[in-house]
Amino acid sequence: MPDDMVALLVRFLEKNNGVFSNPAKEKEFKQLSPPEIADIEENYKLIFVN
């Protein structure tokens, strides 16, 4: 995943308390599968939330 995509992903998660909004899943991150989204959200919470 390109660095600019990772930065965008983190910004979306920061704005939405560690989860992707449905519009983000359908537009910006539509190439990600549901299991990939779940893994990213889980890892984000492990790293950035307490």
Side-chain angles (χ1 to χ4, degrees):
M1 185 176 286
D3 288 344
D4 58 335
M5 183 62 76
V6 172
L8 179 64
L9 183 146
V10 171
R11 283 194 304 270
F12 269 90
L13 292 171
E14 286 174 338
K15 289 182 183 180
N16 208 28
N17 298 315
V19 296
F20 289 105
S21 65
N22 286 330
K25 290 179 199 177
E26 295 168 1
K27 293 180 183 176
E28 288 83 6
F29 303 106
K30 64 183 175 187
Q31 72 274 19
L32 297 174
S33 69
E36 290 172 322
I37 288 173
D39 285 344
I40 291 167
E41 291 172 341
E42 182 179 331
N43 284 307
Y44 176 87
K45 289 174 187 172
L46 288 172
I47 295 166
F48 293 105
V49 179
N50 295 348

